[in-house]
Amino acid sequence: METAIIYCEKELGTMDGKTANGLIRNSKKYQIIAVIDSLRAGMDAGEFINGEPNGIPVFSNLDETLQKLSQKPDHFIYGIAPSDAFLKEDERAIIFKAIENGMNIVNPLQEFFTEDEQFVKHAAKYKVKMIDVRKPKHKRDMGLFSGRVLNINTPIVAVLGTDGAIGKRTTSVLLEEALLKAGLNAVFVATGQTGLIQGAKYGVAIDAIPFQYMIGEIENEIMKAHDQENPDIIIIEGQGALSHPAYISSCGIIRGARPGAIIVQHAPKRENLGDFNFMKMPQLDNEIKLIEAFSQSKVIAITINHERMSDQEIDRAITEYEQQFSIPATDVLKHGCDKLLDSIFDKYPELKNKTKKAVAN
């Protein structure tokens, strides 16, 4: 893998640092060799994010990073997902410096660097590439919904949530890993920039696509995964929340993927929507009712984002949700995906017969 450093100034471990957080947890495309965040300088990024060291150091700025690394990174990844989706002026200076040091720029923002005349000239001068992860194809190259997804038998499970930046992608990636470990041919379809930067083979950053094409592009990625991989199961990442007043992405995912089962991610102690703190979080029971009515599919499990929760509070929430909703609940970062696999096998018993354990017996 090519090497990369992540810029995440003052945001590592926060909601806005979700791109960096995700790459520190899992990166199949880039070897992450350092993170920039002056507030966490001197720490091990893995220990800070996951509680387990992974050898990725955190430095205070770009100069220190380049001085202390034994090799020049191939890529500079902007690892912040700000609500306004645009660079600040001081950050533009850092991008220029990264270009001058010969690093390709990986940009997850909706501000496209390849359309910025100054960045384009600078990149050409220093012979580096700029990758706008969210930049959509031309409309003539995008597809509209065709209904092909209605004719496949492969189980499709969507991981939706009650807010943005709540852990849907993390749960999706860990669930795919657990299904693969069980011996199933599982495929993850990403719908956001972080999953694509992590190396998802299938997916599209949907929130920069016109809504009508969003549905068709999601269907296209589902069908591409189906036709090329012949998977036993497809896991599709959710975005935002179906009830969210500012986002329509969950609607597009449901329409384009037509999931037969849904897992819902919730943060029990989050009181207000992440980027809209003047609005209350939805009640979990209301979100589940809305999802099931809109999708005409069943929610088969609940996963927890444990922000600001003690282990005792996590266990108590799991018990309460299982009693209230009569479906499995878990925290995949704390307890793994066993309950999710059980819920999937209950919904799709034919999958259990394909696992390593079933084949061995």
Short mmCIF file of all heavy atoms in Angstrom, two decimals, residues 117-173:
data_model
loop_
_atom_site.label_atom_id
_atom_site.label_comp_id
_atom_site.label_asym_id
_atom_site.label_seq_id
_atom_site.Cartn_x
_atom_site.Cartn_y
_atom_site.Cartn_z
N GLU A 117 -8.32 26.86 -9.21
CA GLU A 117 -7.25 27.22 -10.14
C GLU A 117 -5.88 27.27 -9.48
O GLU A 117 -4.88 26.81 -10.05
CB GLU A 117 -7.57 28.57 -10.79
CG GLU A 117 -6.59 28.98 -11.87
CD GLU A 117 -6.97 30.29 -12.54
OE1 GLU A 117 -8.11 30.74 -12.33
OE2 GLU A 117 -6.12 30.86 -13.26
N GLN A 118 -5.80 27.80 -8.26
CA GLN A 118 -4.51 27.90 -7.57
C GLN A 118 -3.97 26.52 -7.22
O GLN A 118 -2.78 26.24 -7.41
CB GLN A 118 -4.67 28.75 -6.31
CG GLN A 118 -4.93 30.21 -6.59
CD GLN A 118 -5.08 31.02 -5.32
OE1 GLN A 118 -5.69 30.58 -4.34
NE2 GLN A 118 -4.51 32.21 -5.31
N PHE A 119 -4.84 25.64 -6.70
CA PHE A 119 -4.40 24.28 -6.37
C PHE A 119 -3.97 23.54 -7.63
O PHE A 119 -2.96 22.81 -7.63
CB PHE A 119 -5.52 23.51 -5.67
CG PHE A 119 -5.70 23.85 -4.21
CD1 PHE A 119 -6.91 23.60 -3.57
CD2 PHE A 119 -4.67 24.37 -3.46
CE1 PHE A 119 -7.09 23.88 -2.22
CE2 PHE A 119 -4.82 24.67 -2.11
CZ PHE A 119 -6.04 24.42 -1.49
N VAL A 120 -4.73 23.68 -8.70
CA VAL A 120 -4.41 22.98 -9.94
C VAL A 120 -3.04 23.39 -10.47
O VAL A 120 -2.22 22.54 -10.86
CB VAL A 120 -5.51 23.24 -11.00
CG1 VAL A 120 -5.07 22.72 -12.37
CG2 VAL A 120 -6.82 22.57 -10.59
N LYS A 121 -2.75 24.69 -10.48
CA LYS A 121 -1.45 25.17 -10.95
C LYS A 121 -0.33 24.66 -10.05
O LYS A 121 0.74 24.26 -10.54
CB LYS A 121 -1.45 26.70 -10.98
CG LYS A 121 -2.28 27.30 -12.11
CD LYS A 121 -2.18 28.82 -12.11
CE LYS A 121 -2.95 29.43 -13.27
NZ LYS A 121 -2.90 30.92 -13.25
N HIS A 122 -0.55 24.70 -8.75
CA HIS A 122 0.49 24.27 -7.81
C HIS A 122 0.75 22.76 -7.95
O HIS A 122 1.91 22.32 -7.94
CB HIS A 122 0.04 24.59 -6.39
CG HIS A 122 1.15 25.08 -5.50
ND1 HIS A 122 1.91 26.18 -5.80
CD2 HIS A 122 1.63 24.58 -4.32
CE1 HIS A 122 2.80 26.37 -4.84
NE2 HIS A 122 2.67 25.40 -3.94
N ALA A 123 -0.31 21.98 -8.09
CA ALA A 123 -0.15 20.53 -8.25
C ALA A 123 0.59 20.21 -9.54
O ALA A 123 1.44 19.30 -9.56
CB ALA A 123 -1.53 19.86 -8.24
N ALA A 124 0.30 20.95 -10.61
CA ALA A 124 0.99 20.72 -11.88
C ALA A 124 2.48 21.06 -11.75
O ALA A 124 3.34 20.35 -12.27
CB ALA A 124 0.34 21.55 -12.98
N LYS A 125 2.77 22.14 -11.03
CA LYS A 125 4.16 22.57 -10.85
C LYS A 125 4.98 21.51 -10.14
O LYS A 125 6.14 21.25 -10.50
CB LYS A 125 4.19 23.89 -10.07
CG LYS A 125 5.59 24.41 -9.79
CD LYS A 125 5.54 25.73 -9.01
CE LYS A 125 6.93 26.24 -8.70
NZ LYS A 125 6.89 27.53 -7.93
N TYR A 126 4.38 20.88 -9.11
CA TYR A 126 5.13 19.91 -8.31
C TYR A 126 4.81 18.46 -8.71
O TYR A 126 5.22 17.53 -8.01
CB TYR A 126 4.85 20.14 -6.82
CG TYR A 126 5.49 21.43 -6.33
CD1 TYR A 126 4.76 22.62 -6.31
CD2 TYR A 126 6.82 21.46 -5.93
CE1 TYR A 126 5.34 23.81 -5.87
CE2 TYR A 126 7.40 22.64 -5.48
CZ TYR A 126 6.65 23.81 -5.46
OH TYR A 126 7.25 24.99 -5.04
N LYS A 127 4.05 18.31 -9.79
CA LYS A 127 3.78 16.99 -10.37
C LYS A 127 3.13 16.03 -9.37
O LYS A 127 3.57 14.88 -9.20
CB LYS A 127 5.07 16.38 -10.94
CG LYS A 127 5.66 17.18 -12.10
CD LYS A 127 6.93 16.51 -12.63
CE LYS A 127 7.43 17.21 -13.87
NZ LYS A 127 7.72 18.64 -13.68
N VAL A 128 2.10 16.51 -8.71
CA VAL A 128 1.34 15.65 -7.80
C VAL A 128 -0.11 15.59 -8.25
O VAL A 128 -0.60 16.44 -9.00
CB VAL A 128 1.42 16.14 -6.34
CG1 VAL A 128 2.86 16.23 -5.87
CG2 VAL A 128 0.71 17.47 -6.17
N LYS A 129 -0.81 14.57 -7.78
CA LYS A 129 -2.21 14.37 -8.11
C LYS A 129 -3.09 14.91 -6.99
O LYS A 129 -2.71 14.90 -5.82
CB LYS A 129 -2.51 12.89 -8.31
CG LYS A 129 -1.81 12.24 -9.48
CD LYS A 129 -2.24 10.80 -9.64
CE LYS A 129 -1.82 9.94 -8.44
NZ LYS A 129 -2.16 8.52 -8.62
N MET A 130 -4.29 15.34 -7.36
CA MET A 130 -5.31 15.69 -6.38
C MET A 130 -6.53 14.80 -6.63
O MET A 130 -6.99 14.68 -7.77
CB MET A 130 -5.69 17.16 -6.48
CG MET A 130 -4.57 18.10 -6.08
SD MET A 130 -5.11 19.83 -6.02
CE MET A 130 -5.52 20.11 -7.75
N ILE A 131 -7.01 14.18 -5.57
CA ILE A 131 -8.12 13.24 -5.68
C ILE A 131 -9.31 13.81 -4.90
O ILE A 131 -9.28 13.90 -3.67
CB ILE A 131 -7.73 11.86 -5.12
CG1 ILE A 131 -6.50 11.32 -5.83
CG2 ILE A 131 -8.90 10.88 -5.23
CD1 ILE A 131 -5.81 10.18 -5.12
N ASP A 132 -10.35 14.20 -5.61
CA ASP A 132 -11.59 14.67 -4.99
C ASP A 132 -12.52 13.47 -4.82
O ASP A 132 -13.20 13.06 -5.77
CB ASP A 132 -12.26 15.74 -5.86
CG ASP A 132 -11.51 17.06 -5.86
OD1 ASP A 132 -10.95 17.42 -4.80
OD2 ASP A 132 -11.49 17.73 -6.90
N VAL A 133 -12.55 12.91 -3.63
CA VAL A 133 -13.27 11.66 -3.39
C VAL A 133 -14.77 11.80 -3.65
O VAL A 133 -15.42 10.89 -4.14
CB VAL A 133 -13.01 11.16 -1.96
CG1 VAL A 133 -13.74 9.86 -1.70
CG2 VAL A 133 -11.51 10.99 -1.72
N ARG A 134 -15.32 12.98 -3.31
CA ARG A 134 -16.76 13.17 -3.44
C ARG A 134 -17.20 13.68 -4.81
O ARG A 134 -18.39 13.79 -5.07
CB ARG A 134 -17.23 14.19 -2.40
CG ARG A 134 -17.54 13.61 -1.04
CD ARG A 134 -17.97 14.71 -0.11
NE ARG A 134 -18.57 14.21 1.11
CZ ARG A 134 -18.75 14.94 2.20
NH1 ARG A 134 -18.38 16.21 2.20
NH2 ARG A 134 -19.31 14.43 3.27
N LYS A 135 -16.26 13.99 -5.66
CA LYS A 135 -16.64 14.59 -6.94
C LYS A 135 -17.41 13.59 -7.79
O LYS A 135 -16.90 12.52 -8.13
CB LYS A 135 -15.39 15.06 -7.69
CG LYS A 135 -15.70 15.92 -8.90
CD LYS A 135 -14.43 16.51 -9.49
CE LYS A 135 -14.74 17.45 -10.65
NZ LYS A 135 -13.50 18.07 -11.19
N PRO A 136 -18.65 13.92 -8.15
CA PRO A 136 -19.46 12.95 -8.90
C PRO A 136 -19.09 12.92 -10.38
O PRO A 136 -18.44 13.82 -10.91
CB PRO A 136 -20.89 13.48 -8.71
CG PRO A 136 -20.72 14.95 -8.53
CD PRO A 136 -19.40 15.14 -7.81
N LYS A 137 -19.53 11.86 -11.02
CA LYS A 137 -19.38 11.75 -12.46
C LYS A 137 -20.29 12.78 -13.16
O LYS A 137 -21.20 13.34 -12.53
CB LYS A 137 -19.77 10.34 -12.93
CG LYS A 137 -18.91 9.24 -12.36
CD LYS A 137 -19.37 7.88 -12.84
CE LYS A 137 -20.67 7.46 -12.18
NZ LYS A 137 -21.05 6.06 -12.50
N HIS A 138 -20.08 12.98 -14.43
CA HIS A 138 -21.01 13.80 -15.20
C HIS A 138 -22.38 13.11 -15.21
O HIS A 138 -22.47 11.88 -15.18
CB HIS A 138 -20.51 13.98 -16.63
CG HIS A 138 -19.28 14.85 -16.74
ND1 HIS A 138 -19.32 16.20 -16.47
CD2 HIS A 138 -18.00 14.56 -17.07
CE1 HIS A 138 -18.11 16.71 -16.64
NE2 HIS A 138 -17.29 15.73 -16.99
N LYS A 139 -23.42 13.90 -15.27
CA LYS A 139 -24.77 13.33 -15.26
C LYS A 139 -24.98 12.32 -16.39
O LYS A 139 -25.68 11.32 -16.21
CB LYS A 139 -25.82 14.44 -15.34
CG LYS A 139 -25.96 15.26 -14.07
CD LYS A 139 -27.05 16.31 -14.22
CE LYS A 139 -27.17 17.14 -12.95
NZ LYS A 139 -28.20 18.20 -13.08
N ARG A 140 -24.34 12.56 -17.51
CA ARG A 140 -24.52 11.64 -18.64
C ARG A 140 -23.95 10.26 -18.34
O ARG A 140 -24.29 9.27 -19.01
CB ARG A 140 -23.89 12.22 -19.91
CG ARG A 140 -22.37 12.39 -19.83
CD ARG A 140 -21.80 12.89 -21.15
NE ARG A 140 -20.38 13.14 -21.07
CZ ARG A 140 -19.84 14.31 -20.74
NH1 ARG A 140 -20.64 15.34 -20.49
NH2 ARG A 140 -18.53 14.47 -20.68
N ASP A 141 -23.05 10.20 -17.33
CA ASP A 141 -22.43 8.93 -16.98
C ASP A 141 -23.08 8.28 -15.76
O ASP A 141 -22.67 7.19 -15.35
CB ASP A 141 -20.94 9.13 -16.71
CG ASP A 141 -20.19 9.63 -17.93
OD1 ASP A 141 -20.50 9.16 -19.04
OD2 ASP A 141 -19.30 10.48 -17.78
N MET A 142 -24.06 8.96 -15.18
CA MET A 142 -24.75 8.41 -14.01
C MET A 142 -26.04 7.71 -14.45
O MET A 142 -26.59 8.00 -15.52
CB MET A 142 -25.05 9.50 -12.99
CG MET A 142 -23.82 10.04 -12.28
SD MET A 142 -24.19 11.08 -10.86
CE MET A 142 -24.62 12.62 -11.65
N GLY A 143 -26.50 6.81 -13.60
CA GLY A 143 -27.71 6.06 -13.94
C GLY A 143 -28.88 6.44 -13.07
O GLY A 143 -28.73 6.86 -11.93
N LEU A 144 -30.07 6.28 -13.61
CA LEU A 144 -31.30 6.43 -12.85
C LEU A 144 -31.75 5.05 -12.37
O LEU A 144 -31.28 4.01 -12.86
CB LEU A 144 -32.38 7.06 -13.73
CG LEU A 144 -32.08 8.49 -14.23
CD1 LEU A 144 -33.16 8.94 -15.21
CD2 LEU A 144 -31.98 9.46 -13.06
N PHE A 145 -32.64 5.03 -11.41
CA PHE A 145 -33.14 3.76 -10.88
C PHE A 145 -33.81 2.96 -11.99
O PHE A 145 -34.62 3.48 -12.74
CB PHE A 145 -34.12 4.03 -9.75
CG PHE A 145 -34.63 2.79 -9.08
CD1 PHE A 145 -33.82 2.07 -8.21
CD2 PHE A 145 -35.93 2.33 -9.31
CE1 PHE A 145 -34.28 0.93 -7.59
CE2 PHE A 145 -36.39 1.19 -8.69
CZ PHE A 145 -35.57 0.48 -7.83
N SER A 146 -33.44 1.68 -12.06
CA SER A 146 -33.96 0.82 -13.12
C SER A 146 -34.85 -0.31 -12.61
O SER A 146 -35.58 -0.92 -13.39
CB SER A 146 -32.78 0.20 -13.89
OG SER A 146 -32.11 -0.75 -13.06
N GLY A 147 -34.75 -0.60 -11.32
CA GLY A 147 -35.51 -1.72 -10.77
C GLY A 147 -34.77 -3.05 -10.80
O GLY A 147 -35.28 -4.07 -10.32
N ARG A 148 -33.54 -3.06 -11.34
CA ARG A 148 -32.78 -4.32 -11.40
C ARG A 148 -32.57 -4.92 -10.02
O ARG A 148 -32.56 -6.14 -9.84
CB ARG A 148 -31.42 -4.09 -12.06
CG ARG A 148 -31.46 -3.74 -13.54
CD ARG A 148 -30.07 -3.38 -14.04
NE ARG A 148 -29.57 -2.19 -13.37
CZ ARG A 148 -28.29 -1.88 -13.25
NH1 ARG A 148 -27.36 -2.68 -13.77
NH2 ARG A 148 -27.92 -0.76 -12.63
N VAL A 149 -32.39 -4.05 -9.00
CA VAL A 149 -32.11 -4.53 -7.66
C VAL A 149 -33.27 -5.33 -7.09
O VAL A 149 -33.09 -6.13 -6.17
CB VAL A 149 -31.76 -3.33 -6.74
CG1 VAL A 149 -32.99 -2.49 -6.43
CG2 VAL A 149 -31.09 -3.79 -5.45
N LEU A 150 -34.47 -5.12 -7.64
CA LEU A 150 -35.64 -5.85 -7.15
C LEU A 150 -35.62 -7.32 -7.56
O LEU A 150 -36.38 -8.13 -7.00
CB LEU A 150 -36.92 -5.19 -7.68
CG LEU A 150 -37.12 -3.72 -7.34
CD1 LEU A 150 -38.36 -3.18 -8.05
CD2 LEU A 150 -37.24 -3.52 -5.84
N ASN A 151 -34.75 -7.66 -8.49
CA ASN A 151 -34.77 -9.01 -9.07
C ASN A 151 -33.64 -9.91 -8.59
O ASN A 151 -33.44 -10.99 -9.15
CB ASN A 151 -34.74 -8.91 -10.60
CG ASN A 151 -35.94 -8.16 -11.15
OD1 ASN A 151 -37.07 -8.36 -10.69
ND2 ASN A 151 -35.71 -7.30 -12.13
N ILE A 152 -32.87 -9.45 -7.58
CA ILE A 152 -31.79 -10.29 -7.08
C ILE A 152 -32.21 -10.92 -5.74
O ILE A 152 -33.02 -10.36 -5.01
CB ILE A 152 -30.48 -9.52 -6.93
CG1 ILE A 152 -30.58 -8.44 -5.85
CG2 ILE A 152 -30.07 -8.90 -8.27
CD1 ILE A 152 -29.27 -7.73 -5.58
N ASN A 153 -31.64 -12.08 -5.47
CA ASN A 153 -31.98 -12.81 -4.25
C ASN A 153 -30.98 -12.62 -3.12
O ASN A 153 -31.22 -13.08 -2.01
CB ASN A 153 -32.11 -14.31 -4.56
CG ASN A 153 -33.25 -14.60 -5.51
OD1 ASN A 153 -34.33 -14.01 -5.39
ND2 ASN A 153 -33.03 -15.48 -6.48
N THR A 154 -29.87 -11.98 -3.41
CA THR A 154 -28.84 -11.77 -2.39
C THR A 154 -29.38 -10.91 -1.25
O THR A 154 -29.92 -9.83 -1.50
CB THR A 154 -27.62 -11.07 -2.99
OG1 THR A 154 -27.15 -11.83 -4.10
CG2 THR A 154 -26.50 -10.93 -1.97
N PRO A 155 -29.26 -11.36 0.00
CA PRO A 155 -29.69 -10.51 1.12
C PRO A 155 -28.92 -9.20 1.15
O PRO A 155 -27.70 -9.18 1.01
CB PRO A 155 -29.36 -11.37 2.35
CG PRO A 155 -29.36 -12.78 1.85
CD PRO A 155 -28.82 -12.69 0.45
N ILE A 156 -29.64 -8.11 1.34
CA ILE A 156 -29.04 -6.78 1.46
C ILE A 156 -29.42 -6.23 2.83
O ILE A 156 -30.60 -6.12 3.16
CB ILE A 156 -29.53 -5.83 0.35
CG1 ILE A 156 -29.15 -6.40 -1.02
CG2 ILE A 156 -28.95 -4.43 0.55
CD1 ILE A 156 -29.76 -5.64 -2.18
N VAL A 157 -28.41 -5.89 3.62
CA VAL A 157 -28.62 -5.37 4.96
C VAL A 157 -28.07 -3.95 5.01
O VAL A 157 -26.90 -3.71 4.68
CB VAL A 157 -27.94 -6.24 6.04
CG1 VAL A 157 -28.12 -5.64 7.43
CG2 VAL A 157 -28.49 -7.66 5.99
N ALA A 158 -28.90 -3.00 5.41
CA ALA A 158 -28.46 -1.61 5.55
C ALA A 158 -28.21 -1.29 7.01
O ALA A 158 -28.95 -1.73 7.89
CB ALA A 158 -29.53 -0.67 5.00
N VAL A 159 -27.14 -0.53 7.26
CA VAL A 159 -26.85 -0.04 8.61
C VAL A 159 -27.20 1.45 8.63
O VAL A 159 -26.46 2.28 8.14
CB VAL A 159 -25.37 -0.27 9.00
CG1 VAL A 159 -25.12 0.24 10.41
CG2 VAL A 159 -25.02 -1.75 8.89
N LEU A 160 -28.36 1.76 9.18
CA LEU A 160 -28.84 3.13 9.28
C LEU A 160 -28.64 3.65 10.69
O LEU A 160 -28.11 2.93 11.54
CB LEU A 160 -30.32 3.20 8.87
CG LEU A 160 -30.66 2.61 7.49
CD1 LEU A 160 -32.14 2.78 7.20
CD2 LEU A 160 -29.83 3.26 6.39
N GLY A 161 -29.05 4.89 10.95
CA GLY A 161 -28.81 5.46 12.28
C GLY A 161 -29.77 6.57 12.61
O GLY A 161 -30.66 6.92 11.81
N THR A 162 -29.60 7.15 13.78
CA THR A 162 -30.46 8.22 14.25
C THR A 162 -29.83 9.60 14.08
O THR A 162 -30.45 10.60 14.44
CB THR A 162 -30.83 8.01 15.74
OG1 THR A 162 -29.62 7.84 16.49
CG2 THR A 162 -31.71 6.79 15.91
N ASP A 163 -28.61 9.65 13.52
CA ASP A 163 -27.93 10.93 13.31
C ASP A 163 -26.75 10.68 12.38
O ASP A 163 -26.38 9.53 12.10
CB ASP A 163 -27.45 11.52 14.64
CG ASP A 163 -27.00 12.98 14.54
OD1 ASP A 163 -27.24 13.61 13.49
OD2 ASP A 163 -26.40 13.49 15.51
N GLY A 164 -26.13 11.76 11.92
CA GLY A 164 -24.87 11.64 11.19
C GLY A 164 -23.72 11.40 12.15
O GLY A 164 -23.83 11.65 13.35
N ALA A 165 -22.60 10.92 11.62
CA ALA A 165 -21.38 10.69 12.41
C ALA A 165 -21.68 9.94 13.70
O ALA A 165 -21.24 10.34 14.78
CB ALA A 165 -20.70 12.02 12.71
N ILE A 166 -22.41 8.85 13.58
CA ILE A 166 -22.82 8.11 14.77
C ILE A 166 -22.26 6.69 14.80
O ILE A 166 -22.47 5.95 15.75
CB ILE A 166 -24.37 8.10 14.86
CG1 ILE A 166 -24.84 7.95 16.31
CG2 ILE A 166 -24.98 7.04 13.94
CD1 ILE A 166 -26.30 8.28 16.52
N GLY A 167 -21.53 6.30 13.73
CA GLY A 167 -20.86 5.00 13.75
C GLY A 167 -21.40 3.99 12.76
O GLY A 167 -21.05 2.81 12.84
N LYS A 168 -22.19 4.42 11.81
CA LYS A 168 -22.78 3.48 10.85
C LYS A 168 -21.71 2.80 10.00
O LYS A 168 -21.77 1.59 9.77
CB LYS A 168 -23.79 4.22 9.96
CG LYS A 168 -24.95 4.84 10.73
CD LYS A 168 -25.91 5.59 9.81
CE LYS A 168 -25.31 6.87 9.27
NZ LYS A 168 -25.14 7.92 10.29
N ARG A 169 -20.75 3.59 9.52
CA ARG A 169 -19.68 3.01 8.69
C ARG A 169 -18.83 2.05 9.50
O ARG A 169 -18.48 0.96 9.02
CB ARG A 169 -18.81 4.12 8.10
CG ARG A 169 -17.75 3.60 7.12
CD ARG A 169 -16.62 4.59 6.94
NE ARG A 169 -15.85 4.74 8.16
CZ ARG A 169 -15.93 5.78 8.99
NH1 ARG A 169 -16.75 6.78 8.73
NH2 ARG A 169 -15.21 5.84 10.09
N THR A 170 -18.48 2.42 10.72
CA THR A 170 -17.66 1.55 11.57
C THR A 170 -18.36 0.22 11.79
O THR A 170 -17.75 -0.86 11.65
CB THR A 170 -17.38 2.23 12.92
OG1 THR A 170 -16.63 3.42 12.69
CG2 THR A 170 -16.60 1.31 13.84
N THR A 171 -19.64 0.27 12.12
CA THR A 171 -20.40 -0.97 12.31
C THR A 171 -20.44 -1.78 11.03
O THR A 171 -20.28 -3.01 11.05
CB THR A 171 -21.82 -0.65 12.80
OG1 THR A 171 -21.75 -0.11 14.12
CG2 THR A 171 -22.70 -1.89 12.82
N SER A 172 -20.65 -1.11 9.89
CA SER A 172 -20.72 -1.81 8.60
C SER A 172 -19.42 -2.54 8.29
O SER A 172 -19.42 -3.70 7.86
CB SER A 172 -21.04 -0.82 7.48
OG SER A 172 -22.27 -0.18 7.68
N VAL A 173 -18.30 -1.86 8.49
CA VAL A 173 -16.99 -2.44 8.19
C VAL A 173 -16.70 -3.63 9.11
O VAL A 173 -16.24 -4.68 8.67
CB VAL A 173 -15.89 -1.37 8.31
CG1 VAL A 173 -14.50 -1.99 8.26
CG2 VAL A 173 -16.03 -0.33 7.19
#
